[in-house]
Amino acid sequence: MTTDVIDDQSEHDSHDGEHHDHKMTGIKRWLYTTNHKDIGSMYLWFSFIMFLTGGAMALVIRAELFQPGLQIIEPDFFNQMTTVHGLIMVFGAIMPAFTGLANWMLPMMVGAPDMALPRLNNWSFWILPFAFAILLSSFFMESGAPNFGWTFYAPLSTTYSNGSTAFFVFAVHIMGISSIMGAINIVVTIMNMRAPGMTYMKMPLFVWTFFITAYLLIAVMPVLAGTVTMVLTDTYFGTSFFDAAGGGDPVMFQHIFWFFGHPEVYIMILPAFGIVSTTIPAFSRKPLFGYSSMVYATASIAFLSFIVWAHHMFTTGMPLFGELFFMYCTMLIAVPTGVKVFNWAATMWRGSLSFETPMLFSIAFVILFTIGGFSGLMLAMTPADFQYHDTYFVVAHFHYVLVTGALFSIFAGAYYWLPKWTGYMYNDTLSKWHFWCSLISVNLLFFPMHFLGLAGMPRRIPDYALQFADFNKWVSIGGFAFGISQLIFLVLVIKCIRGGEKAPMKPWDGAEGLEWTVPSPAPYHTFTTPPKID
Amino acid sequence: MKRRNLGLLLLGGLLSSSVWADMSLNLTKGVTEVSRDVYDLHMLVLYICTGIGIVVFGAMFWSMVFHRKSKGFKPATFHESTKVEILWTAIPVVILIAMAFPATITLIDMENNDDADLTIQVTGSQWKWHYKYFDQDLEFYSVLSTPREQYENQDGTSAEKGEHYLLEVDRPLVIPTNKKVRFVITSDDVIHAWWVPAFAVKQDANPGFINEAWTKVDEPGVYRGQCAELCGKDHGFMPIVVEVKSEADYAIWLDEQKQMKANAAAAEAASLNASASMDELMQLGETTYTAYCAACHQVSGQGLPPAFPALKGSAIATTGPASAHIDIVVNGKAGTGMQAYGKQLSLKEIAAVVTYERNAWGNNTGEAVQAADVQAVSGAGTSDTVEQAVEDVKEQVAETVAKVIPEEDLSKVYSQDELMTLGEDVYMTACAACHQATGEGMAPVFPALKGSVIATGDVAVHLDMVLNGSKKNPAMAAFAGQLTKTQIAAVVTYERNAWGNNTGDLVQPAAVAAASAK
Amino acid sequence: MTNGESQNKLSKQAQATTHDASVKKTVKKLMLIVFGMFGFGFALVPLYDVFCDITGLNGKTSNVAASYNVKSIDTERTITVQFLTRTAKGIPWKFEPMVNEVEVHPGERKTVIFYAKNESTSDIVGQAVPSVSPGRAAVYFQKIECFCFNSQPLKASEDVEMGLQFYVDLDIPDDVSTITLSYTLYDITSSVDS
């Protein structure tokens, strides 16, 4: 996102230029860069490309589901689409986008010149395209791409898989290594690079959420690596971790997977909490309500995420006490999450509100994420979960949390910091179009899925009974509208990089934080001398 | 203006959610006590969430409308309040406890699988269900019955879709009302999940492990569900249909099943001695292939490599020995999607499908495989078992028949209508398997009755044939010990008057008694 | 360069070294967590088994023969034990219990026979995998002798009668009156060969 325009300006802002690497030009600049802003930009671009790729797959799915019958694709290819769509959106779109935001903003927010481990940073980005190249290359193999769902339940992914398991496993390994390196960098930066005077409880909430998220990543990505390794050896090397014939247990796969999987869900939403906790106070012109309770709530959600994994598995035949334990723990999550939502509402209460695009996305986030939270609470009730489990109700739930939740927060953050990144204000009209089109279409896309699920439509099916036809049609229309709306954002970002109204140092009058004390666009090197915080 | 629209839109969306809740697209209430409890819990939580939503979103919209910078509203400066924060931590806890109570009670009820009246073993496999009644000698597969042309529309065709499109099966599971029915659920391959929304029963079928669930249904009816765990290619095509019958109807159904099984076993034994024509094999083979094999190997025989290999031009279906081909169909292949059809298809069907595969799509080997060939491959022991099964079933049928009509009044004279109605029932259960419902038989083993010399000629010869079987054709069994005299009288009457045989002969039980006394 | 400036620079360098050291320390700690958690992923496998043994989660029964040293039989209670069998995909065996169910008193020793026949034309090694429902009863279901402890090789067309000797623990919970034992038979010929 940063272009040469910024590079020219960076010189006069750096106080002691001799300490800095000589900046290269062209492709080498991006290949060899250790600059957190360059890497952040690459992460963001990469995640947007992946978002469009995964989105295209979603559109294939929705096109097939537009009406009953198999019109366009074969059931097996349909399964490949749902699987790779899920993998790309989780590991390729949402997570790298957050890492990109962290790269760009964390050093500036804590007053550090760069991330603590810049070379590692370069690596953790550059192995990512290879991971996805491996994953996507499987489409061109005879075996086809992974078709066992992004949750890759054994033995469908082991004994009964098509030949794609090896590609899948190696791709996930590389994604995992990338995430772990990124997370280590974030933790080390936050622990060691804060400006003098910035105590933990003075850090912006954005920094806090990324700090906790990074810990979650470090704790659970290795477990995912272990899981896929076991799947690999079960498939190709004759072990029987998940094969009953050899003394294994397929249900154990789900326990290990969801031990990773549930914290993973929070990895994708905690940073979103951080972003809206930054934008809502800015456009309410009022400090964030209950800063310390926000920190504690985030921490307790992270803690609870480790003891609720089996709520994804209520129908696997757990003993009664297990079902009760996981039900109660899961319901408990509603408490800290509720605290957060109440805090955001209280921040807006008696503020002086204005509705710039970042604020619009943030408000939509709070409301729509809360709807996703409500359906989450319903899913937590074990007896009711027996009806909801593996239906479109679940699909609606996690898309409300991840699309109108995580993705909307990323848009909010992008609009909020675009002037700082590019030095220009974005086109306001286009941004409003983007917001309203996204908002309407996303609800048309996901809200009827609640009804479909309650009426009994299972997820991951390429064709459905006639009573589901009407809503599926609307859902598909919503899907295509939402997909097209995202192209507005692409145009807007390109326009914003190329020029426009010059952005002042602090374009939002209510914004707080160190990132607004440097010029726009942010110079290539910032805070080479740490600022003092009182 | 735009901002107000946002408010209206979101409010509208929320309101519509509670309106929809009462429409058919809400969760089903179901037909069991548990499913109604689940529904009540669902509605309770939905209402609580809606209430909280109105309060929280209401506050936010209030701020959005009244606390705006454009209206010159000056921001307050407060940023914490211990009192309020404790309050909105404590209140949710209380609400959650209120929700946990009914949830716990329902859950304890759902998990009490003890003291069942009836146990059924449910087994999922790619991509069908198998049901086995624990205390009855009864088991069968249940497969999607929607014709392929209704859902395979990639070439632009669109056959009219039936009412129960994708939610219909060839043989539904049948259970009685008001009995605690326990399902013991497992799988032969990957994980499936057995789900019937009307019962609020959803349990994963884990390979190698069993899971339990139970239901007790109040109302007779047909209830439909689907597999709820991704299980591979045709996950969307393995529906569940449960027919709930009153206890009396259920007992009748059980008897019918035993009759059918007896007939099938008899037909199986008969087919061993018969030699079917190539045309007949190809025809039956094609139907069987479409129903059981085409999902993976495709109608074109080209398969979906590498998971599902092509049969067209393949070694196994052309140059390889027929016995190896039969073996893989009968016994399946471990570690692949190819399952064993030995227990699902009759010998004749397997013979037909193997013949079809060896001659269709230009595989023209010219080989015709007979039921006896299949039996030779599927194990020396099978022949005893088949005969044993026939014997067993004959005994059972005799018992059943004795049960159904305990006392026979041989002197009673029946009307033609009575004889024809009863005769049709008997024919369908005892004769139609071989002689076909149309009376056209399956030449040459099973001769036609329609217009035949036997069924239109001398009544005594006809009666003798039914009572004592054929001396020339071992496939024609003696029914004297299997059917009552009234039933034989009825079925002979039926055969002599159906399908345009209109002889007008009425055979009464007394005549049968006289004939069998000779 | 003045004296003060160089001193300033020195102290900056000293700061940088302590800074580097603390970064290294943090990275090391984090790497420890990473490797620890990778190991923990694998440790979950035995942990899961232990957990299953204690709680009977998933109806797993012990793979080790129990010794019969029950002193009394509780004739007051009767438990119904049901037997189910299933052959997994790809094993052409006939496999069934000779009796569908038996009634036992807690503490009483019972033997039941299962029949297996290899109906194919090749030699096959089978392995029966037990599963008990309800899962919490699994801990109280004690197998003294079971064919499932070992694999079962059968030549083509060979058949065998296999025994299972078991008892139900005296302290089985009061609300359990039916125990279902299921055996799924797997073809393990290839893994035995290699």
Side-chain angles (χ1 to χ4, degrees):
Chain A
M1 234 161 266
T2 45
T3 62
D4 291 350
V5 184
I6 307 165
D7 307 341
D8 301 335
Q9 296 182 336
S10 62
E11 293 307 317
H12 55 76
D13 204 68
S14 44
H15 303 289
D16 36 6
E18 78 272 14
H19 282 179
H20 300 132
D21 314 324
H22 193 72
K23 201 142 50 63
M24 302 192 208
T25 48
I27 185 79
K28 278 189 181 169
R29 167 182 167 190
W30 301 104
L31 272 177
Y32 299 149
T33 185
T34 56
N35 180 287
H36 72 99
K37 299 185 183 82
D38 281 356
I39 293 173
S41 301
M42 288 197 293
Y43 262 115
L44 288 168
W45 274 113
F46 177 78
S47 69
F48 194 71
I49 292 164
M50 281 295 124
F51 171 63
L52 295 183
T53 314
M57 292 175 186
L59 294 187
V60 173
I61 294 169
R62 282 321 317 173
E64 178 54 60
L65 291 174
F66 183 70
Q67 64 183 79
L70 296 170
Q71 281 84 19
I72 302 170
I73 51 174
E74 293 291 335
D76 190 55
F77 189 69
F78 182 90
N79 288 345
Q80 295 176 22
M81 284 287 119
T82 51
T83 305
V84 181
H85 163 75
L87 288 168
I88 285 193
M89 288 308 200
V90 168
F91 296 105
I94 301 293
M95 287 168 69
F98 281 136
T99 316
L101 286 173
N103 261 294
W104 246 107
M105 304 316 301
L106 278 185
M108 294 214 286
M109 284 184 164
V110 300
D114 203 318
M115 297 294 277
L117 309 157
R119 283 189 188 81
L120 188 78
N121 209 6
N122 173 294
W123 268 94
S124 59
F125 172 76
W126 273 113
I127 60 175
L128 213 46
F130 291 95
F132 285 91
I134 292 173
L135 181 65
L136 291 172
S137 73
S138 60
F139 275 111
F140 305 101
M141 308 287 166
E142 197 196 18
S143 58
N147 60 359
F148 29 70
W150 85 275
T151 50
F152 61 105
Y153 279 11
L156 190 60
S157 61
T158 57
T159 321
Y160 295 90
S161 83
N162 57 10
S164 61
T165 303
F167 293 105
F168 162 80
V169 169
F170 286 119
V172 170
H173 265 310
I174 299 173
M175 294 170 204
I177 291 169
S178 161
S179 293
I180 291 170
M181 295 199 301
I184 289 180
N185 217 339
I186 288 171
V187 171
V188 177
T189 306
I190 294 173
M191 288 180 79
N192 297 288
M193 309 276 284
R194 293 192 314 279
M198 184 178 276
T199 59
Y200 280 110
M201 289 313 274
K202 274 187 188 164
M203 294 194 306
L205 202 77
F206 180 90
V207 178
W208 258 113
T209 54
F210 275 86
F211 189 44
I212 292 170
T213 305
Y215 265 111
L216 282 181
L217 276 166
I218 291 168
V220 299
M221 289 310 280
V223 178
L224 174 68
T227 319
V228 292
T229 307
M230 288 185 237
V231 164
L232 185 79
T233 58
D234 260 20
T235 314
Y236 300 104
F237 301 106
T239 57
S240 318
F241 289 108
F242 311 128
D243 183 5
D249 184 348
V251 175
M252 182 178 71
F253 170 86
Q254 297 177 35
H255 280 288
I256 302 178
F257 174 80
W258 285 113
F259 185 82
F260 146 78
H262 201 76
E264 167 70 19
V265 172
Y266 293 103
I267 285 167
M268 290 189 284
I269 201 64
L270 293 184
F273 294 167
I275 294 168
V276 297
S277 299
T278 313
T279 52
I280 289 181
F283 298 100
S284 302
R285 291 164 186 82
K286 191 164 152 279
L288 180 68
F289 187 88
Y291 169 88
S292 46
S293 70
M294 284 297 226
V295 172
Y296 299 135
T298 311
S300 51
I301 291 175
F303 169 75
L304 284 172
S305 76
F306 283 101
I307 53 167
V308 295
W309 76 88
H311 68 211
H312 297 267
M313 308 168 48
F314 283 142
T315 65
T316 55
M318 247 187 292
L320 179 66
F321 75 85
E323 289 178 330
L324 288 174
F325 173 80
F326 286 109
M327 173 169 80
Y328 297 149
C329 288
T330 307
M331 290 170 76
L332 268 185
I333 293 183
V335 176
T337 314
V339 165
K340 285 183 161 291
V341 174
F342 299 143
N343 281 350
W344 291 320
T347 306
M348 287 167 66
W349 188 253
R350 292 182 56 210
S352 174
L353 274 62
S354 58
F355 300 93
E356 287 84 349
T357 311
M359 183 61 162
L360 289 178
F361 271 106
S362 303
I363 294 172
F365 166 91
V366 175
I367 291 171
L368 298 177
F369 166 78
T370 305
I371 292 177
F374 286 150
S375 53
L377 183 60
M378 293 168 80
L379 283 158
M381 316 300 289
T382 314
D385 182 71
F386 278 94
Q387 291 284 42
Y388 308 142
H389 180 76
D390 262 328
T391 67
Y392 262 81
F393 192 79
V394 178
V395 179
H397 160 70
F398 67 72
H399 280 100
Y400 261 86
V401 174
L402 290 179
V403 178
T404 59
L407 182 66
F408 270 31
S409 81
I410 292 167
F411 283 140
Y415 282 114
Y416 186 62
W417 287 301
L418 257 180
K420 182 59 59 189
W421 296 338
T422 64
Y424 300 109
M425 298 304 289
Y426 54 80
N427 182 320
D428 194 53
T429 320
L430 267 186
S431 74
K432 293 277 160 56
W433 271 100
H434 176 223
F435 172 72
W436 288 107
C437 289
S438 297
L439 181 76
I440 294 166
S441 58
V442 86
N443 282 292
L444 184 61
L445 167 56
F446 295 124
F447 209 81
M449 286 187 181
H450 290 113
F451 307 137
L452 283 172
L454 293 176
M457 180 169 164
R459 62 193 280 210
R460 292 166 167 169
I461 57 173
D463 194 5
Y464 46 82
L466 299 181
Q467 72 257 37
F468 308 128
D470 288 346
F471 276 119
N472 268 298
K473 191 167 282 175
W474 286 111
V475 166
S476 288
I477 292 170
F480 276 89
F482 184 70
I484 293 163
S485 307
Q486 304 322 306
L487 299 178
I488 304 176
F489 182 68
L490 179 66
V491 172
L492 177 143
V493 171
I494 292 171
K495 279 176 72 119
C496 184
I497 291 170
R498 300 178 119 192
E501 189 195 330
K502 278 266 174 210
M505 188 198 256
K506 185 172 142 180
W508 321 114
D509 58 318
E512 300 276 346
L514 289 175
E515 74 264 36
W516 306 112
T517 64
V518 299
S520 295
Y524 200 58
H525 297 286
T526 40
F527 297 122
T528 40
T529 314
K532 272 261 186 284
I533 316 287
D534 17 76
Chain B
M1 277 318 285
K2 273 184 179 173
R3 280 150 210 171
R4 196 159 288 163
N5 287 345
L6 162 73
L8 284 175
L9 185 93
L10 288 174
L11 265 179
L14 281 169
L15 280 179
S16 70
S17 82
S18 50
V19 171
W20 281 111
D22 293 326
M23 293 188 57
S24 61
L25 288 154
N26 191 9
L27 191 65
T28 173
K29 271 196 176 115
V31 289
T32 68
E33 210 182 305
V34 166
S35 74
R36 281 186 290 268
D37 287 347
V38 167
Y39 174 83
D40 290 341
L41 181 69
H42 158 76
M43 289 314 288
L44 173 76
V45 183
L46 184 64
Y47 284 133
I48 291 176
C49 287
T50 312
I52 298 173
I54 288 172
V55 173
V56 176
F57 301 155
M60 287 175 67
F61 281 110
W62 186 275
S63 315
M64 279 187 257
V65 174
F66 296 105
H67 306 158
R68 279 199 254 169
K69 192 193 172 201
S70 56
K71 286 193 169 179
F73 195 89
K74 290 276 164 286
T77 50
F78 66 87
H79 59 90
E80 59 188 345
S81 158
T82 318
K83 231 185 268 170
V84 174
E85 285 172 65
I86 288 175
L87 207 64
W88 69 37
T89 310
I91 293 175
V93 171
V94 174
I95 296 176
L96 288 175
I97 291 173
M99 295 196 298
F101 263 109
T104 307
I105 292 166
T106 310
L107 190 60
I108 290 173
D109 196 21
M110 283 176 114
E111 291 293 327
N112 178 17
N113 294 297
D114 230 37
D115 296 323
D117 301 311
L118 177 65
T119 298
I120 295 171
Q121 187 178 6
V122 178
T123 311
S125 64
Q126 289 176 327
W127 292 275
K128 52 173 113 18
W129 293 98
H130 177 265
Y131 300 111
K132 184 176 183 186
Y133 291 71
F134 181 71
D135 43 8
Q136 306 284 339
D137 185 23
L138 177 61
E139 57 181 305
F140 53 86
Y141 281 92
S142 179
V143 188
L144 175 74
S145 64
T146 304
R148 301 189 78 76
E149 55 270 19
Q150 282 189 21
Y151 57 85
E152 294 210 321
N153 311 129
Q154 284 100 335
D155 51 2
T157 59
S158 55
E160 174 112 12
K161 297 183 187 347
E163 188 193 352
H164 298 299
Y165 176 69
L166 296 187
L167 293 179
E168 52 200 347
V169 296
D170 57 348
R171 295 185 75 180
L173 173 68
V174 177
I175 58 169
T177 50
N178 298 318
K179 292 269 184 206
K180 184 166 182 176
V181 182
R182 186 173 68 121
F183 304 106
V184 179
I185 300 166
T186 184
S187 163
D188 282 349
D189 39 45
V190 299
I191 300 173
H192 305 266
W194 197 80
W195 179 32
V196 180
F199 305 162
V201 168
K202 187 186 280 152
Q203 270 300 325
D204 285 7
N206 296 319
F209 296 88
I210 53 174
N211 263 333
E212 288 180 311
W214 69 274
T215 194
K216 192 172 180 180
V217 186
D218 326 313
E219 307 165 30
V222 178
Y223 304 103
R224 294 165 202 276
Q226 278 179 277
C227 175
E229 183 64 64
L230 178 65
C231 56
K233 190 171 77 64
D234 281 353
H235 163 54
F237 302 90
M238 51 181 295
I240 294 148
V241 180
V242 183
E243 211 177 316
V244 181
K245 290 180 185 284
S246 69
E247 285 171 65
D249 288 347
Y250 174 73
I252 294 173
W253 178 83
L254 272 184
D255 288 337
E256 278 172 15
Q257 296 306 306
K258 281 170 192 161
Q259 286 268 10
M260 275 172 56
K261 202 175 161 189
N263 298 333
E268 186 90 340
S271 71
L272 278 178
N273 303 315
S275 166
S277 73
M278 189 71 176
D279 281 352
E280 193 194 339
L281 286 170
M282 285 299 279
Q283 206 178 343
L284 177 62
E286 185 170 1
T287 343
T288 315
Y289 182 84
T290 314
Y292 291 91
C293 319
C296 299
H297 295 294
Q298 305 295 295
V299 177
S300 64
Q302 287 169 334
L304 292 168
F308 308 114
L311 297 176
K312 183 178 173 178
S314 72
I316 197 117
T318 54
T319 48
S323 59
H325 190 170
I326 295 169
D327 182 58
I328 198 167
V329 176
V330 171
N331 296 325
K333 194 171 175 192
T336 70
M338 182 63 198
Q339 48 188 300
Y341 286 93
K343 285 169 188 146
Q344 270 184 73
L345 298 179
S346 69
L347 294 173
K348 188 167 177 186
E349 282 171 320
I350 292 175
V353 85
V354 172
T355 309
Y356 178 74
E357 289 171 0
R358 297 181 82 78
N359 292 285
W361 324 297
N363 279 1
N364 311 325
T365 57
E367 290 171 57
V369 176
Q370 297 294 346
D373 303 330
V374 177
Q375 203 222 350
V377 173
S378 64
T382 324
S383 84
D384 323 335
T385 29
V386 168
E387 274 160 35
Q388 187 59 42
V390 175
E391 286 306 310
D392 287 353
V393 170
K394 275 182 186 165
E395 273 168 41
Q396 273 177 8
V397 171
E399 280 168 32
T400 327
V401 169
K403 234 188 295 163
V404 173
I405 307 170
E407 281 170 43
E408 229 186 328
D409 182 2
L410 292 178
S411 59
K412 185 163 178 193
V413 175
Y414 291 88
S415 72
Q416 176 162 9
D417 280 354
E418 284 172 323
L419 286 170
M420 287 298 281
T421 318
L422 176 60
E424 184 170 3
D425 279 354
V426 177
Y427 183 83
M428 289 306 165
T429 46
C431 320
C434 300
H435 293 294
Q436 305 296 295
T438 57
E440 286 168 351
M442 290 159 81
V445 201
F446 308 120
L449 296 176
K450 182 178 173 180
S452 73
V453 184
I454 292 264
T456 54
D458 189 356
V459 178
V461 176
H462 190 175
L463 257 181
D464 180 60
M465 180 68 87
V466 176
L467 281 168
N468 304 319
S470 165
K471 283 158 201 83
K472 287 181 225 150
N473 185 350
M476 180 63 199
F479 283 91
Q482 289 184 52
L483 298 175
T484 65
K485 298 194 170 60
T486 314
Q487 284 173 320
I488 291 179
V491 81
V492 172
T493 308
Y494 178 75
E495 289 173 0
R496 299 186 75 79
N497 292 288
W499 324 297
N501 279 1
N502 311 326
T503 58
D505 297 336
L506 295 192
V507 181
Q508 297 294 349
V512 180
S516 59
K518 277 182 201 164
Chain C
M1 206 178 273
T2 65
N3 218 1
E5 267 177 335
S6 73
Q7 261 182 358
N8 196 9
K9 205 172 178 186
L10 269 176
S11 78
K12 255 192 178 171
Q13 271 172 356
Q15 257 178 6
T17 8
T18 51
H19 177 256
D20 280 354
S22 70
V23 165
K24 267 188 193 147
K25 218 170 117 188
T26 322
V27 172
K28 268 184 197 155
K29 276 186 199 157
L30 294 175
M31 286 308 288
L32 236 99
I33 302 183
V34 169
F35 287 111
M37 288 307 289
F38 185 71
F40 179 71
F42 284 89
L44 281 173
V45 177
L47 274 175
Y48 178 78
D49 282 342
V50 170
F51 197 67
C52 288
D53 277 351
I54 298 169
T55 62
L57 180 73
N58 218 10
K60 280 193 163 187
T61 57
S62 173
N63 268 336
V64 188
S67 55
Y68 183 75
N69 50 6
V70 176
K71 289 176 186 66
S72 65
I73 291 173
D74 181 1
T75 48
E76 302 278 293
R77 285 185 68 190
T78 310
I79 311 261
T80 309
V81 183
Q82 302 181 325
F83 304 102
L84 297 175
T85 55
R86 193 71 204 164
T87 48
K89 194 180 263 186
I91 178 161
W93 284 21
K94 183 182 172 151
F95 174 50
E96 53 197 30
M98 304 290 261
V99 284
N100 269 344
E101 60 180 25
V102 292
E103 306 221 311
V104 293
H105 302 302
E108 182 189 2
R109 190 153 39 157
K110 269 274 185 221
T111 304
V112 287
I113 306 292
F114 286 68
Y115 174 80
K117 179 177 166 70
N118 180 350
E119 292 188 325
S120 78
T121 46
S122 47
D123 303 352
I124 287 173
V125 184
Q127 171 72 54
V129 175
S131 173
V132 166
S133 194
R136 67 207 162 96
V139 204
Y140 305 97
F141 188 86
Q142 306 288 2
K143 286 175 291 189
I144 303 161
E145 209 184 292
C146 178
F147 54 92
C148 59
F149 294 151
N150 303 102
S151 59
Q152 191 68 45
L154 280 186
K155 296 207 162 35
S157 302
E158 192 186 352
D159 63 351
V160 67
E161 286 184 0
M162 309 179 293
L164 160 71
Q165 193 176 50
F166 69 94
Y167 70 94
V168 176
D169 254 356
L170 285 167
D171 39 3
I172 183 157
D174 286 338
D175 53 338
V176 177
S177 65
T178 309
I179 298 177
T180 308
L181 171 63
S182 135
Y183 282 106
T184 311
L185 192 72
Y186 286 91
D187 179 354
I188 58 160
T189 316
S190 55
S191 57
V192 171
D193 287 348
S194 62

